[in-house]
Amino acid sequence: MTHYVFPPPAIASVPIVGRAERFPVHRIYCVGRNYAEHAKEMGFTGREPPFFFLKPADAVLAVPAGDTGALPYPSLTANLHHEVELVVALGRGGSNIRAADALQHVFGYAVGLDMTRRDLQNEMKKQGRPWSIGKAFEHSAPIAPITPAPQVGDLAQAAIWLQVNGTERQRSQIAQMIWNVAETIEHLSAAWTLQPGDLIYTGTPEGVGAVLRGDVIECGVDGLTPLRVQVV
């Protein structure tokens, strides 16, 4: 029996639609600027090669279906931004996975938020420093329950949207992603050996903006369980 100097932390996990088991999270990969219009609002244009950043597994804030999650407003920022994203949950790992085979590795899909301390991120960009402080803080990856892939229809034409206090801020289609799910997995698996339990936040469309304490964020992707959180 292995003994530890203190009790190890609980495994971060996400509910699964229609199942009692939970999805254990290994790593969280995020795709940057994967919608052309969002790239433009961030000051970039064109179809650049995909790039990635990571959040720790325990950044997950798993919200059960029908609940409103409590999202703590993080420290050190005065400009907390919402970014709604399609999340891909991997059930099989591997390296150098071909795009043609990539969807065989997908366990399911969910709606997620990549919460961002935009002022800190922008300051790190100006200084040419890593911007983990802007992205990888506690509770920065809210997520709705995962729908197993066989239960999901054609996501390519699905709408992705976000409202704050009932006012729509983001709306696009998954088809507008610069790099689709299969291509993203191919690129990721060339750089990392992917594992079961990995989550991929696939990027956000245009319309990102700030939220304040008390704001209610509701977001969704057609065909998936929507996500609702309140900033506290």
Side-chain angles (χ1 to χ4, degrees):
M1 182 177 178
T2 303
H3 295 277
Y4 300 96
V5 296
F6 51 82
I11 296 172
S13 65
V14 182
I16 301 170
V17 173
R19 293 174 62 166
E21 304 104 319
R22 293 177 67 92
F23 183 90
V25 179
H26 177 247
R27 290 178 181 165
I28 303 174
Y29 296 96
C30 303
V31 187
R33 298 197 296 265
N34 200 26
Y35 287 76
E37 293 304 312
H38 173 60
K40 290 177 184 177
E41 73 180 354
M42 292 291 103
F44 300 87
T45 59
R47 191 177 197 248
E48 61 184 336
F51 71 93
F52 308 99
F53 58 91
L54 284 84
K55 294 176 183 270
D58 62 3
V60 155
L61 174 61
V63 181
D67 284 6
T68 300
L71 173 62
Y73 196 97
S75 61
L76 301 180
T77 184
N79 196 20
L80 177 66
H81 276 212
H82 59 73
E83 299 188 8
V84 61
E85 313 212 353
L86 171 67
V87 181
V88 179
L90 297 186
R92 290 173 51 193
S95 57
N96 296 311
I97 300 167
R98 297 187 309 161
D101 303 323
L103 298 186
Q104 300 173 28
H105 295 252
V106 175
F107 173 84
Y109 300 90
V111 179
L113 282 166
D114 167 19
M115 300 304 296
T116 303
R117 295 192 279 205
R118 189 73 72 200
D119 43 2
L120 300 184
Q121 182 194 30
N122 289 343
E123 184 59 31
M124 293 301 103
K125 285 181 179 179
K126 289 178 185 177
Q127 298 181 36
R129 295 177 177 175
W131 29 274
S132 296
I133 194 169
K135 289 286 192 178
F137 52 93
E138 292 87 348
H139 314 297
S140 62
I143 186 171
I146 296 167
T147 301
Q151 301 174 31
V152 177
D154 181 14
L155 283 177
Q157 301 307 316
I160 180 171
W161 55 271
L162 179 142
Q163 298 176 351
V164 176
N165 301 327
T167 300
E168 188 166 278
R169 290 193 180 180
Q170 292 185 266
R171 177 168 291 273
S172 186
Q173 286 188 315
I174 299 301
Q176 296 301 310
M177 287 199 300
I178 297 171
W179 300 94
N180 65 30
V181 170
E183 292 168 332
T184 296
I185 292 172
E186 180 177 74
H187 280 279
L188 264 177
S189 68
W192 290 274
T193 300
L194 301 180
Q195 300 291 339
D198 286 342
L199 297 177
I200 305 170
Y201 279 60
T202 58
T204 195
E206 69 276 12
V208 301
V211 289
L212 304 172
R213 287 183 178 87
D215 284 348
V216 174
I217 305 170
E218 297 181 82
C219 53
V221 172
D222 288 355
L224 301 179
T225 301
L227 174 63
R228 190 174 194 266
V229 299
Q230 183 170 30
V231 184
V232 297

